[in-house]
Amino acid sequence: MAHVSIIGTGNMGQAIAGVARKGGHTVELLGGSDQSAHVSGDIVVLAVPYPALPKVLAERGDSLAGKIVVDITNPVNFETFDSLTVPANSSATAELAAALPDSRVLKAFNTTFAGTLAAGTVGANTTTVLIAGEDADAKSTLAEVITSGGLKAIDAGSLSRARELEAFGFLQISLAAKEKVAWTGGFSVAA
Amino acid sequence: MAHVSIIGTGNMGQAIAGVARKGGHTVELLGGSDQSAHVSGDIVVLAVPYPALPKVLAERGDSLAGKIVVDITNPVNFETFDSLTVPANSSATAELAAALPDSRVLKAFNTTFAGTLAAGTVGANTTTVLIAGEDADAKSTLAEVITSGGLKAIDAGSLSRARELEAFGFLQISLAAKEKVAWTGGFSVAA
């Protein structure tokens, strides 16, 4: 069993907490007013919007050393809705990994809407979480939490694949915002 | 009814021809040895690999003026399998549109494997073709061909979204190459 800390109590943080609890793991859900609280999880999910990452790093960066840190952000420019706010050849996760050299940083959960994490399904398919990162053991540990919670997990490759996962997340969000796909649906992988 | 020319007789060209014929449209399928043949379609699908686009442009560029030109390529670096070969802030489709200023260039079919175009389904879901481009009428004309052939079509936005569609296609190909998703499956959109 893993002990999972989730920083951020929004719909994504709560949905990810639900998956971990369903899998029998212990969950610590930390909100913005809990800055002083010790982060106790072996896995720490940063379930905050991309613009909030610097604040999280400033407040808790030191306490993330040695841990598996999961970035779920989609750094979409929500003013223009026409681009990502990270450089085209980088990713939010790559930036985070550079800022946390003593953590094992993964990308995950940015391609699954909160409703599909809570429901466990996207239409007829089981919700599938795509994971990218350098550390195979860290990816395997996170995948175990996800699959024990009734979802599927796919190792999508190295940290550089975070770029494509963020493009995927941006595309999916842009389609949902234009009501081309449902916020309760989106892309899925067949069984 | 549309008249569709397809340049390229590989599995993608044949699958797209099948969709168009199923929809009652006329199809002209042109292979590499048909360079001198007139391109008669109102819609011209360039069903060739990305590295073959310059040759197609050199041989047929002039005859594409005034037409809807559909780019289906995934410009993946197949040596490293770790990146696209176009600049990170561009796309194969943006390059093609720049080379064909008198054509209405669209991105489509790069996120759907040939098998799912032929089957009409991805698992339990109807195969959905994502289309990007500047010209709304052109996108609507292509969408009509696709939907009349029994598939679904989604307008994914402007030409700049081709970048995300190529990231999506690259991710999906990389997952299929590692047997994480099936070549007969991949990502789909719930009904």
Side-chain angles (χ1 to χ4, degrees):
Chain A
M1 293 297 103
H3 181 45
V4 183
S5 293
I6 298 174
I7 298 176
T9 57
N11 61 350
M12 284 297 291
Q14 292 185 39
I16 295 165
V19 171
R21 287 194 188 109
K22 192 175 172 190
H25 307 279
T26 53
V27 174
E28 166 186 66
L29 194 56
L30 298 169
S33 59
D34 306 321
Q35 291 97 328
S36 60
H38 177 66
V39 179
S40 58
D42 312 302
I43 301 173
V44 182
V45 180
L46 306 185
V48 299
Y50 174 72
L53 285 180
K55 184 164 177 284
V56 171
L57 288 177
E59 288 172 358
R60 302 184 189 272
D62 291 345
S63 65
L64 300 177
K67 296 177 185 294
I68 297 171
V69 174
V70 183
D71 168 41
I72 75 161
T73 65
N74 280 301
V76 177
N77 183 333
F78 286 103
E79 290 182 15
T80 66
F81 238 106
D82 198 40
S83 68
L84 292 169
T85 60
V86 290
N89 61 353
S90 184
S91 67
T93 317
E95 293 176 348
L96 191 67
L100 294 172
D102 298 323
S103 303
R104 292 180 287 168
V105 175
L106 304 178
K107 187 87 193 182
F109 298 111
N110 78 301
T111 63
T112 43
F113 291 140
T116 70
L117 293 173
T121 53
V122 183
N125 294 327
T126 301
T127 302
T128 300
V129 177
L130 304 173
I131 308 172
E134 292 304 313
D135 191 296
D137 285 342
K139 289 191 278 191
S140 174
T141 299
L142 179 63
E144 203 281 319
V145 170
I146 291 165
T147 56
S148 64
L151 310 185
K152 292 185 181 177
I154 291 181
D155 179 351
S158 68
L159 183 65
S160 27
R161 285 296 76 68
R163 188 163 118 192
E164 283 71 39
L165 293 183
E166 292 175 15
F168 186 115
F170 169 33
L171 180 69
Q172 185 171 239
I173 287 170
S174 75
L175 294 176
K178 291 186 283 186
E179 301 184 350
K180 307 276 186 178
V181 303
W183 288 106
T184 52
F187 297 113
S188 65
V189 180
Chain B
M1 291 300 103
H3 182 46
V4 183
S5 293
I6 298 173
I7 299 175
T9 57
N11 62 350
M12 284 297 292
Q14 291 185 40
I16 295 166
V19 171
R21 287 192 188 111
K22 192 174 170 188
H25 307 279
T26 53
V27 174
E28 167 185 66
L29 195 54
L30 298 169
S33 59
D34 306 320
Q35 291 97 327
S36 60
H38 176 67
V39 180
S40 58
D42 313 302
I43 300 173
V44 182
V45 180
L46 307 185
V48 299
Y50 174 73
L53 285 180
K55 182 164 180 284
V56 171
L57 288 177
E59 287 171 358
R60 302 185 189 273
D62 291 346
S63 66
L64 301 177
K67 297 178 185 295
I68 297 171
V69 174
V70 183
D71 168 41
I72 75 161
T73 64
N74 281 302
V76 176
N77 182 333
F78 286 104
E79 289 181 17
T80 66
F81 238 106
D82 198 42
S83 67
L84 292 168
T85 60
V86 291
N89 61 353
S90 185
S91 67
T93 317
E95 293 176 347
L96 191 67
L100 295 172
D102 298 323
S103 303
R104 292 180 287 168
V105 175
L106 304 179
K107 186 89 194 181
F109 299 110
N110 78 300
T111 63
T112 43
F113 291 140
T116 70
L117 293 172
T121 52
V122 183
N125 294 325
T126 301
T127 302
T128 300
V129 177
L130 304 173
I131 308 171
E134 293 304 314
D135 191 296
D137 285 344
K139 288 191 279 191
S140 174
T141 299
L142 179 63
E144 203 282 318
V145 171
I146 292 165
T147 56
S148 64
L151 310 186
K152 292 185 179 177
I154 291 180
D155 178 351
S158 68
L159 182 65
S160 26
R161 283 298 75 69
R163 187 164 118 191
E164 282 73 38
L165 293 182
E166 291 175 15
F168 186 116
F170 168 33
L171 179 69
Q172 186 172 236
I173 287 169
S174 75
L175 293 177
K178 290 185 284 187
E179 300 186 352
K180 307 277 188 178
V181 304
W183 288 106
T184 52
F187 297 112
S188 65
V189 180

